[in-house]
């Protein structure tokens, strides 16, 4: 992709993402991802209903009347985006590719983060760590992340989410909020010939399917009702297994199709955490 074309796309994504983060997600983000703790701010005189555990006994003794400590939320967070750059992301619908949607979602989260004075970092992963961008603040930092998302060429086309999570654990110097942006197409978990097919397999006769991560090719007969039903059954089971895995791990999850608007789904995620 030429530099001028990349810059145009970066600008277009920035305008959309900044608008969404400022006008749609601002309050939702803040309430969903509260600060890492409470920090002492000041003291004031005790008022009826105050928690007696907050009384500052030193100040109380000095002024001979009760004073309480006032705390405020430590707002600054570190937000990490774990972004799948494997081959299966180069698939989608007529509306957009998975990779394009991931870029827009990542940009929206990133701009929401810096509007709340949070740091944002990124891990690009396939079946290994492709690139690590340490957490920083600022518009320039986010534009750099968007440019990388648009023009990044991974070394591998395969996927290993476990590697990304282990890497995050090793580099996270303190508690952070992490988003994993992936289609969760892991080799051992799904039927290889149907990996890149849509949720509902269309009846278009004989179809050549290619595994975007391994290059494996196979012809399938989509006119077979039995095959279409088997694919739909497989898809439903796979989604259910993924949801169960996330629930057991106490991880919030949303699933977005490439022909859907991600905004309402991302808002739903934020509201779940509020």
């Amino acid at each position: 992709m030429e530099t001028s074309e990349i810059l145009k796309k970066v600008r277009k994504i920035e305008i959309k993402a900044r608008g969404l983060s400022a006008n749609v997600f601002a309050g939702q983000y803040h309430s969903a991802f509260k600060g890492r703790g409470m920090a002492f701010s000041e003291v004031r005189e005790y008022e009826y209903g105050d928690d007696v555990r907050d009384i500052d006994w030193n100040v109380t003794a000095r002024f001979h009347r009760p004073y309480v400590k006032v705390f405020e939320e430590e707002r600054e967070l570190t937000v990490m985006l774990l972004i799948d750059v494997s081959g299966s992301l180069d698939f989608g619908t007529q509306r957009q590719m998975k990779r394009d949607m991931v870029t827009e979602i990542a940009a929206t989260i990133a701009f929401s983060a810096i509007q709340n004075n949070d740091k944002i970092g990124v891990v690009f992963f396939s079946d290994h760590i492709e690139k690590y961008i340490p957490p920083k603040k600022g518009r320039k930092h986010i534009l750099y992340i968007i440019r990388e998302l648009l023009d990044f060429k991974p070394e591998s086309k395969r996927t290993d989410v476990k590697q990304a999570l282990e890497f995050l654990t090793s580099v996270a110097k303190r508690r952070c909020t992490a988003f994993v942006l992936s289609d969760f197409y892991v080799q051992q978990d799904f039927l290889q010939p149907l990996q890149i097919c849509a949720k509902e397999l269309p009846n278009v006769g004989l179809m050549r399917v290619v595994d975007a991560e391994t290059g494996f090719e196979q012809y399938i007969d989509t006119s077979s009702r039995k095959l279409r039903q088997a694919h739909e059954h497989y898809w439903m089971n796979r989604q259910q297994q993924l949801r169960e895995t996330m629930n057991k791990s106490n991880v919030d999850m949303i699933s977005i199709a490439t022909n859907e608007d991600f905004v309402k789904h991302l808002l739903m995620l934020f509201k779940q955490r509020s």
Side-chain angles (χ1 to χ4, degrees), residues 57-72:
W57 295 106
N58 291 328
V59 178
T60 296
R62 192 182 313 147
F63 291 98
H64 305 290
R65 55 182 182 272
Y67 277 78
V68 293
K69 295 178 181 178
V70 178
F71 296 87
E72 63 182 16

PDB file of all heavy atoms in Angstrom, residues 57-72:
ATOM      1  N   TRP A  57      -7.722  11.016  62.209  1.00  0.00           N
ATOM      2  CA  TRP A  57      -7.631  11.270  63.642  1.00  0.00           C
ATOM      3  C   TRP A  57      -6.579  12.317  63.998  1.00  0.00           C
ATOM      4  O   TRP A  57      -6.724  13.051  64.974  1.00  0.00           O
ATOM      5  CB  TRP A  57      -7.354   9.965  64.389  1.00  0.00           C
ATOM      6  CG  TRP A  57      -8.505   9.006  64.252  1.00  0.00           C
ATOM      7  CD1 TRP A  57      -8.554   7.882  63.497  1.00  0.00           C
ATOM      8  CD2 TRP A  57      -9.787   9.136  64.878  1.00  0.00           C
ATOM      9  NE1 TRP A  57      -9.800   7.282  63.589  1.00  0.00           N
ATOM     10  CE2 TRP A  57     -10.569   8.034  64.449  1.00  0.00           C
ATOM     11  CE3 TRP A  57     -10.361  10.073  65.744  1.00  0.00           C
ATOM     12  CZ2 TRP A  57     -11.885   7.843  64.861  1.00  0.00           C
ATOM     13  CZ3 TRP A  57     -11.669   9.865  66.170  1.00  0.00           C
ATOM     14  CH2 TRP A  57     -12.421   8.777  65.731  1.00  0.00           C
ATOM     15  N   ASN A  58      -5.542  12.428  63.179  1.00  0.00           N
ATOM     16  CA  ASN A  58      -4.513  13.447  63.440  1.00  0.00           C
ATOM     17  C   ASN A  58      -5.076  14.853  63.266  1.00  0.00           C
ATOM     18  O   ASN A  58      -4.882  15.738  64.112  1.00  0.00           O
ATOM     19  CB  ASN A  58      -3.312  13.250  62.519  1.00  0.00           C
ATOM     20  CG  ASN A  58      -2.532  11.993  62.852  1.00  0.00           C
ATOM     21  OD1 ASN A  58      -2.467  11.595  64.011  1.00  0.00           O
ATOM     22  ND2 ASN A  58      -1.940  11.373  61.847  1.00  0.00           N
ATOM     23  N   VAL A  59      -5.786  15.062  62.148  1.00  0.00           N
ATOM     24  CA  VAL A  59      -6.385  16.382  61.892  1.00  0.00           C
ATOM     25  C   VAL A  59      -7.508  16.649  62.887  1.00  0.00           C
ATOM     26  O   VAL A  59      -7.679  17.782  63.371  1.00  0.00           O
ATOM     27  CB  VAL A  59      -6.908  16.456  60.436  1.00  0.00           C
ATOM     28  CG1 VAL A  59      -7.574  17.804  60.178  1.00  0.00           C
ATOM     29  CG2 VAL A  59      -5.778  16.224  59.446  1.00  0.00           C
ATOM     30  N   THR A  60      -8.269  15.630  63.209  1.00  0.00           N
ATOM     31  CA  THR A  60      -9.355  15.769  64.182  1.00  0.00           C
ATOM     32  C   THR A  60      -8.818  16.239  65.535  1.00  0.00           C
ATOM     33  O   THR A  60      -9.390  17.138  66.181  1.00  0.00           O
ATOM     34  CB  THR A  60     -10.102  14.435  64.354  1.00  0.00           C
ATOM     35  OG1 THR A  60     -10.720  14.093  63.109  1.00  0.00           O
ATOM     36  CG2 THR A  60     -11.177  14.527  65.436  1.00  0.00           C
ATOM     37  N   ALA A  61      -7.718  15.653  65.979  1.00  0.00           N
ATOM     38  CA  ALA A  61      -7.118  16.026  67.271  1.00  0.00           C
ATOM     39  C   ALA A  61      -6.583  17.454  67.230  1.00  0.00           C
ATOM     40  O   ALA A  61      -6.656  18.189  68.223  1.00  0.00           O
ATOM     41  CB  ALA A  61      -5.992  15.054  67.604  1.00  0.00           C
ATOM     42  N   ARG A  62      -6.074  17.862  66.078  1.00  0.00           N
ATOM     43  CA  ARG A  62      -5.493  19.199  65.958  1.00  0.00           C
ATOM     44  C   ARG A  62      -6.556  20.284  66.031  1.00  0.00           C
ATOM     45  O   ARG A  62      -6.353  21.341  66.629  1.00  0.00           O
ATOM     46  CB  ARG A  62      -4.717  19.293  64.638  1.00  0.00           C
ATOM     47  CG  ARG A  62      -3.823  20.542  64.526  1.00  0.00           C
ATOM     48  CD  ARG A  62      -3.114  20.588  63.172  1.00  0.00           C
ATOM     49  NE  ARG A  62      -2.521  19.283  62.853  1.00  0.00           N
ATOM     50  CZ  ARG A  62      -2.416  18.814  61.619  1.00  0.00           C
ATOM     51  NH1 ARG A  62      -2.899  19.508  60.601  1.00  0.00           N
ATOM     52  NH2 ARG A  62      -1.857  17.648  61.408  1.00  0.00           N
ATOM     53  N   PHE A  63      -7.695  20.038  65.391  1.00  0.00           N
ATOM     54  CA  PHE A  63      -8.732  21.077  65.322  1.00  0.00           C
ATOM     55  C   PHE A  63      -9.882  20.834  66.311  1.00  0.00           C
ATOM     56  O   PHE A  63     -10.837  21.602  66.346  1.00  0.00           O
ATOM     57  CB  PHE A  63      -9.281  21.183  63.900  1.00  0.00           C
ATOM     58  CG  PHE A  63      -8.302  21.744  62.911  1.00  0.00           C
ATOM     59  CD1 PHE A  63      -7.548  20.907  62.084  1.00  0.00           C
ATOM     60  CD2 PHE A  63      -8.112  23.114  62.811  1.00  0.00           C
ATOM     61  CE1 PHE A  63      -6.644  21.426  61.168  1.00  0.00           C
ATOM     62  CE2 PHE A  63      -7.211  23.636  61.894  1.00  0.00           C
ATOM     63  CZ  PHE A  63      -6.461  22.788  61.082  1.00  0.00           C
ATOM     64  N   HIS A  64      -9.809  19.744  67.059  1.00  0.00           N
ATOM     65  CA  HIS A  64     -10.799  19.437  68.103  1.00  0.00           C
ATOM     66  C   HIS A  64     -12.210  19.257  67.561  1.00  0.00           C
ATOM     67  O   HIS A  64     -13.189  19.513  68.240  1.00  0.00           O
ATOM     68  CB  HIS A  64     -10.797  20.529  69.197  1.00  0.00           C
ATOM     69  CG  HIS A  64      -9.440  20.744  69.787  1.00  0.00           C
ATOM     70  ND1 HIS A  64      -8.819  19.815  70.607  1.00  0.00           N
ATOM     71  CD2 HIS A  64      -8.578  21.788  69.668  1.00  0.00           C
ATOM     72  CE1 HIS A  64      -7.626  20.266  70.970  1.00  0.00           C
ATOM     73  NE2 HIS A  64      -7.459  21.468  70.413  1.00  0.00           N
ATOM     74  N   ARG A  65     -12.312  18.873  66.314  1.00  0.00           N
ATOM     75  CA  ARG A  65     -13.593  18.481  65.721  1.00  0.00           C
ATOM     76  C   ARG A  65     -13.281  17.484  64.591  1.00  0.00           C
ATOM     77  O   ARG A  65     -12.194  17.527  64.005  1.00  0.00           O
ATOM     78  CB  ARG A  65     -14.385  19.690  65.211  1.00  0.00           C
ATOM     79  CG  ARG A  65     -13.689  20.588  64.230  1.00  0.00           C
ATOM     80  CD  ARG A  65     -14.602  21.760  63.860  1.00  0.00           C
ATOM     81  NE  ARG A  65     -13.993  22.639  62.886  1.00  0.00           N
ATOM     82  CZ  ARG A  65     -13.209  23.672  63.165  1.00  0.00           C
ATOM     83  NH1 ARG A  65     -12.916  23.942  64.452  1.00  0.00           N
ATOM     84  NH2 ARG A  65     -12.694  24.438  62.221  1.00  0.00           N
ATOM     85  N   PRO A  66     -14.224  16.617  64.292  1.00  0.00           N
ATOM     86  CA  PRO A  66     -13.918  15.513  63.361  1.00  0.00           C
ATOM     87  C   PRO A  66     -13.737  15.965  61.903  1.00  0.00           C
ATOM     88  O   PRO A  66     -14.513  16.779  61.381  1.00  0.00           O
ATOM     89  CB  PRO A  66     -15.137  14.590  63.493  1.00  0.00           C
ATOM     90  CG  PRO A  66     -16.233  15.460  63.994  1.00  0.00           C
ATOM     91  CD  PRO A  66     -15.586  16.509  64.852  1.00  0.00           C
ATOM     92  N   TYR A  67     -12.692  15.410  61.288  1.00  0.00           N
ATOM     93  CA  TYR A  67     -12.416  15.602  59.869  1.00  0.00           C
ATOM     94  C   TYR A  67     -12.300  14.224  59.208  1.00  0.00           C
ATOM     95  O   TYR A  67     -11.835  13.257  59.829  1.00  0.00           O
ATOM     96  CB  TYR A  67     -11.117  16.376  59.657  1.00  0.00           C
ATOM     97  CG  TYR A  67     -11.252  17.875  59.749  1.00  0.00           C
ATOM     98  CD1 TYR A  67     -11.348  18.503  60.982  1.00  0.00           C
ATOM     99  CD2 TYR A  67     -11.296  18.652  58.590  1.00  0.00           C
ATOM    100  CE1 TYR A  67     -11.480  19.876  61.076  1.00  0.00           C
ATOM    101  CE2 TYR A  67     -11.426  20.036  58.682  1.00  0.00           C
ATOM    102  CZ  TYR A  67     -11.516  20.644  59.913  1.00  0.00           C
ATOM    103  OH  TYR A  67     -11.648  22.010  59.990  1.00  0.00           O
ATOM    104  N   VAL A  68     -12.708  14.166  57.951  1.00  0.00           N
ATOM    105  CA  VAL A  68     -12.607  12.892  57.219  1.00  0.00           C
ATOM    106  C   VAL A  68     -11.708  13.077  55.997  1.00  0.00           C
ATOM    107  O   VAL A  68     -11.584  14.170  55.434  1.00  0.00           O
ATOM    108  CB  VAL A  68     -13.990  12.380  56.754  1.00  0.00           C
ATOM    109  CG1 VAL A  68     -14.841  11.985  57.937  1.00  0.00           C
ATOM    110  CG2 VAL A  68     -14.696  13.411  55.879  1.00  0.00           C
ATOM    111  N   LYS A  69     -11.089  11.968  55.611  1.00  0.00           N
ATOM    112  CA  LYS A  69     -10.272  11.962  54.395  1.00  0.00           C
ATOM    113  C   LYS A  69     -11.181  11.820  53.175  1.00  0.00           C
ATOM    114  O   LYS A  69     -12.140  11.056  53.191  1.00  0.00           O
ATOM    115  CB  LYS A  69      -9.287  10.789  54.421  1.00  0.00           C
ATOM    116  CG  LYS A  69      -8.245  10.864  55.520  1.00  0.00           C
ATOM    117  CD  LYS A  69      -7.361   9.630  55.493  1.00  0.00           C
ATOM    118  CE  LYS A  69      -6.328   9.668  56.608  1.00  0.00           C
ATOM    119  NZ  LYS A  69      -5.488   8.442  56.636  1.00  0.00           N
ATOM    120  N   VAL A  70     -10.865  12.592  52.153  1.00  0.00           N
ATOM    121  CA  VAL A  70     -11.613  12.511  50.898  1.00  0.00           C
ATOM    122  C   VAL A  70     -10.724  11.825  49.870  1.00  0.00           C
ATOM    123  O   VAL A  70      -9.567  12.213  49.676  1.00  0.00           O
ATOM    124  CB  VAL A  70     -12.026  13.914  50.387  1.00  0.00           C
ATOM    125  CG1 VAL A  70     -12.757  13.793  49.048  1.00  0.00           C
ATOM    126  CG2 VAL A  70     -12.897  14.610  51.416  1.00  0.00           C
ATOM    127  N   PHE A  71     -11.264  10.793  49.229  1.00  0.00           N
ATOM    128  CA  PHE A  71     -10.508  10.041  48.234  1.00  0.00           C
ATOM    129  C   PHE A  71     -11.103  10.271  46.850  1.00  0.00           C
ATOM    130  O   PHE A  71     -12.283  10.552  46.696  1.00  0.00           O
ATOM    131  CB  PHE A  71     -10.541   8.540  48.550  1.00  0.00           C
ATOM    132  CG  PHE A  71      -9.879   8.176  49.842  1.00  0.00           C
ATOM    133  CD1 PHE A  71     -10.593   8.214  51.030  1.00  0.00           C
ATOM    134  CD2 PHE A  71      -8.550   7.808  49.877  1.00  0.00           C
ATOM    135  CE1 PHE A  71      -9.992   7.877  52.227  1.00  0.00           C
ATOM    136  CE2 PHE A  71      -7.933   7.471  51.068  1.00  0.00           C
ATOM    137  CZ  PHE A  71      -8.651   7.501  52.244  1.00  0.00           C
ATOM    138  N   GLU A  72     -10.264  10.161  45.851  1.00  0.00           N
ATOM    139  CA  GLU A  72     -10.765  10.229  44.477  1.00  0.00           C
ATOM    140  C   GLU A  72     -10.134   9.099  43.673  1.00  0.00           C
ATOM    141  O   GLU A  72      -9.080   8.570  44.008  1.00  0.00           O
ATOM    142  CB  GLU A  72     -10.454  11.580  43.817  1.00  0.00           C
ATOM    143  CG  GLU A  72      -8.983  11.881  43.670  1.00  0.00           C
ATOM    144  CD  GLU A  72      -8.742  13.252  43.043  1.00  0.00           C
ATOM    145  OE1 GLU A  72      -9.668  14.065  43.006  1.00  0.00           O
ATOM    146  OE2 GLU A  72      -7.604  13.467  42.593  1.00  0.00           O
TER     147      GLU A  72
END
